Amino acid sequence: QVRLVESGGGSVQAGGSLRLSCVASGQGLSSFLMGWFRQAPGKEREGVAALDSDSVVDYAPSVKGRFTISRDNAKNTLYLQMDSLRPEDTAKYYCAAGYDNLGPSDPLLREYEYNYWGQGTQVTVSS
C-alpha cells in the first residue's frame, strides 16, 4: 500500500512558478511509475507529466517546456516544477503511483496504469 500526500499548490499570477511536492509512505518510489494529473472544473482528468522507474519522462504537449517532473528517492518525494504558468493551468493536481510494468514504448500517462492516488492540491493561475 502506498499513501501519497501532495502540497505546494496555491494562487499565482500568469507567468509565475510553483513547485508541487508529493510525499509517499508505505513503499519506496524508485521502482514505481509516478505521475501528475490534473482536473479543471467541468473537465476530465488529464495526464500532465510522468516518470518511470528508469527515469524516462513524458509530458502532455500543453506543458512540455514549462513543467519539469523529478523524483528524490532518498526523500521518497515526487516534484513538479511549474514555470510560465497560464490561466489554463488552473486545476486540482493529483499525484499518482503505479506498478511499473510498462514496455519501453508504452505511454506513461494512461490513468489505468496508476494504482494509488493522492487527494490533490489546488493550483489557481490568474491573468
Side-chain angles (χ1 to χ4, degrees):
Q1 192 75 6
V2 176
R3 181 170 180 259
L4 304 171
V5 179
E6 304 95 334
S7 63
S11 296
V12 65
Q13 288 193 327
S17 297
L18 284 173
R19 188 175 80 156
L20 305 183
S21 299
C22 171
V23 178
S25 58
Q27 294 189 48
L29 290 184
S30 62
S31 63
F32 279 81
L33 169 67
M34 301 297 302
W36 288 98
F37 292 77
R38 68 186 181 187
Q39 187 168 23
K43 294 188 177 181
E44 291 188 356
R45 189 160 58 188
E46 62 174 352
V48 175
L51 174 68
D52 74 5
S53 58
D54 292 323
S55 297
V56 175
V57 298
D58 194 13
Y59 295 96
S62 59
V63 307
K64 197 171 290 186
R66 300 188 298 121
F67 290 10
T68 304
I69 188 171
S70 62
R71 173 173 54 204
D72 186 330
N73 291 333
K75 295 182 179 179
N76 229 25
T77 301
L78 181 74
Y79 300 101
L80 184 68
Q81 177 67 41
M82 305 186 295
D83 299 317
S84 302
L85 282 162
R86 304 167 180 170
E88 54 264 38
D89 295 318
T90 295
K92 194 165 189 179
Y93 284 71
Y94 298 88
C95 172
Y99 298 105
D100 192 353
N101 299 312
L102 300 180
S105 60
D106 288 338
L108 305 185
L109 285 171
R110 296 180 298 198
E111 281 197 39
Y112 61 81
E113 301 287 359
Y114 294 83
N115 308 95
Y116 305 102
W117 294 82
Q119 294 300 307
T121 185
Q122 179 66 36
V123 171
T124 302
V125 184
S126 59
S127 57

